[in-house]
Amino acid sequence: MRACADGRIDAVRYVLTADHEIPDRAPLAIKPGDVVQVGDWDTEWPAFVFVTASRGTGWVPGRHLDIDGSVGTCCVAYDTTELPAVAGESVDVIEDDAESGWSWCRNSGGREGWIPHRVLTVA
């Protein structure tokens, strides 16, 4: 992302190098103060832990939770929505999360969600 002279954020255009398919589970949105059950840490994406909340389940960056044993309290709002996309498609990166290896992107139709860095390259 780039900051413009007027203070707004200018998204950077990326192209997918491979398809990104989304999981077969509803996205989960958590907000500060939400209490979740903490499950296993992901072996492929070590920044993420699997959580179960009152509204569903999903992978959340562990750093967004205050974890005490198997219970976590959300400290930062997080939405697990992933963006389905195909190789060659262009998307705008709205927010980059370098620590987790994912970017929040918007496609040409205005739909938004997370896409992993490993399938993105600068257009």
Side-chain angles (χ1 to χ4, degrees):
M1 293 183 300
R2 296 180 296 248
C4 297
D6 63 4
R8 67 184 172 82
I9 298 297
D10 185 27
V12 177
R13 174 79 29 131
Y14 281 75
V15 174
L16 274 82
T17 59
D19 294 351
H20 177 63
E21 296 181 16
I22 62 173
D24 187 23
R25 116 178 118 258
L28 172 66
I30 58 174
K31 61 186 183 321
D34 284 354
V35 175
V36 298
Q37 291 298 308
V38 177
D40 293 330
W41 288 85
D42 194 303
T43 55
E44 181 179 4
W45 302 98
F48 290 89
V49 64
F50 194 77
V51 302
T52 301
S54 62
R55 294 174 306 283
T57 60
W59 293 98
V60 174
R63 69 183 186 283
H64 293 336
L65 304 170
D66 179 13
I67 300 173
D68 184 10
S70 64
V71 176
T73 303
C74 180
C75 303
V76 176
Y78 191 79
D79 182 340
T80 67
T81 300
E82 292 185 37
L83 181 62
V86 295
E89 183 176 351
S90 293
V91 295
D92 291 326
V93 170
I94 307 303
E95 177 186 339
D96 182 58
D97 184 356
E99 188 172 340
S100 73
W102 290 70
S103 292
W104 185 263
C105 301
R106 180 182 302 127
N107 67 15
S108 61
R111 187 172 175 184
E112 295 184 6
W114 294 104
I115 295 178
H117 289 168
R118 67 182 175 200
V119 299
L120 294 172
T121 189
V122 176

